[in-house]
Amino acid sequence: MSGAATGAQPDAGATGTSVAGAGNTRARSVHLPAMHLILSDPSCQPLLTGYGREQTLAAARALLAELRGDMLRVANAGGSAPAAAGEITIPAITALLAQRLAQANQSPLRPVFNLSGTVLHTNLGRALLPDCAVQAVAEALRWPMNLEWDIDTGKRGDRDDLVEDLLRELTGAEAVTIVNNNAAAVLLMLDTLADGREAIVSRGELVEIGGTFRIPDIMQRAGATLREVGSTNRTHLHDYANAANTQTALLLKVHCSNYAITGFTKSVEVAELAPLARERQIPLAVDLGSGTLVDLEQYGLPHETTVRETIAAGADLVTFSGDKLLGGPQCGIIAGRADLIARIKRNPLKRALRVGKLTLAALAPVLALYRAPDLLPERLTTLRLLTRPAADMRAQAQAILPLLQRALGADYDVRDEAMTSQIGSGALPVDLLPSHGLTVRAAAGSRVSDALGVLERRLRALPIPVVGRVAQDALWLDLRCLDADHQQRFIAQLEALAV
Ligand SMILES: *Cc1c(COP(=O)(O)O)cnc(C)c1O
């Protein structure tokens, strides 16, 4: 080691650590303040009260060790340290310390701007919830709740009861049960009704939903034998009728959430299949996936089969997600015949898949909003975003454009353009919603190589990272999901984007 450091321990010595570069004949001496002086400095007090003594001390030790190393390297190279060696003041050190502690204590789960154009984005947490749900969750976090305790009788209750009446009213189902997500709902339903027996599914409906959820795999895990019928593009009622036998436990229809089969196609509707199910006394289950509780056409959106329609058409059980079109928290809802729901609730797996109080706290007020369907587009965040007219987003784009252009400088070319959003999460996969937003391209003569890659990284490095979509040599920022109250925060951090 050619450099000489005195006071190897950061808190050794009353005045601190001196570092002299041995390679430097004029021995530029630099100085780090002693630990106890740093810790007792007024500038450090907020850190000690905010992060505690142990954590602050450990971070300070690490920082001083790093600074000492930097200084040694610079001194040995005969240069002067970047932080003007010899003049590293205590406030400068606590400022660095504050930055590091803040970063280390940042939640790993962070808000982002979803400008991807996909409203219900699974990787970004799907539905955003309305304030009524946010408040209910905050209260449930702070208070013991009557989760499984009947206030009227003072006896033990059932957590499903908290939302059952409302869901029955909204779907026409006799009974419901709630689990952690729709994948769990399908698993629990199959495990209860078809374990060791057969479930008949059309070859056109053997869906894979992203991640690892595939109907054939989930069936296998549930112990059910998959009996495929029909062909990829066409399945007829007689295919189901021919396959049904004494081993058949279930007829299952699955919503083609993320694809469409077009052309020479035929699938059997629930209403067509229901009489066969009745006649053979085999339950008919429908995995609706998204499943909505209202006719979306009344809001100018494409029609998506509702849970009520599916039950009215003769489904014995319907499964759907809480955080897709419904606009609530992550959960899976199984609605249908009381006797089948009772069997499902007795399955020990239900206990493993049940939801917690936060989910139910959020779900109940969201469901209550559906009692006023006329007010739903104002009140239900998901529906508000889905029904925003493109003109709104165009006005926003025009307001933001000059600010973004200024932040990005001459290497980029920002324009406002029409684009299309998608609902996402397997709801109405082929229906696109007219939208508007900003596109960013590398300007002619841009000095940045891989300009879009650089831009994407810069957007991700912002305090609230921005998620866009790269296509056709441009970054597309769809403004549909940029609420008025989020717009200010979006603009406020543009400054940090400037290089
Ligand atoms: C989304 C979806 C699922 C899975 O639901 P999660 O809530 O993501 O678990 C299952 N089936 C269909 C048809 C879906 O669209």
Side-chain angles (χ1 to χ4, degrees), residues 115-135:
L115 306 191
S116 67
T118 300
V119 178
L120 296 168
H121 197 305
T122 297
N123 303 143
L124 304 180
R126 293 192 185 157
L128 302 179
L129 275 77
D131 279 345
C132 56
V134 173
Q135 276 151 27

Side-chain angles (χ1 to χ4, degrees), residues 136-195:
V137 171
E139 190 165 53
L141 281 164
R142 294 197 182 99
W143 282 87
M145 308 293 279
N146 62 327
L147 181 61
E148 290 188 343
W149 183 70
D150 188 322
I151 294 176
D152 292 335
T153 63
K155 298 219 167 76
R156 187 184 170 142
D158 178 338
R159 61 184 72 198
D160 286 339
D161 291 350
L162 297 168
V163 288
E164 181 160 54
D165 284 349
L166 199 43
L167 273 167
R168 283 171 40 187
E169 179 187 320
L170 295 169
T171 64
E174 289 173 5
V176 300
T177 186
I178 317 290
V179 289
N180 185 51
N181 53 31
N182 188 36
V186 175
L187 174 68
L188 182 62
M189 176 178 76
L190 289 169
D191 186 81
T192 308
L193 302 179
D195 186 12

Side-chain angles (χ1 to χ4, degrees), residues 126 181-183 209 213 254-255 257 287-290 321 323-324:
R126 293 192 185 157
N181 53 31
N182 188 36
I209 308 290
F213 181 85
V254 183
H255 190 284
S257 288
D287 175 17
L288 266 189
S290 200
S321 296
D323 55 350
K324 292 183 179 173

Side-chain angles (χ1 to χ4, degrees), residues 203-204 230-235 261-267:
R203 288 198 168 90
S231 62
T232 305
N233 57 330
R234 290 173 70 83
T235 300
I261 300 179
T262 58
F264 185 54
T265 63
K266 162 93 179 91
S267 65

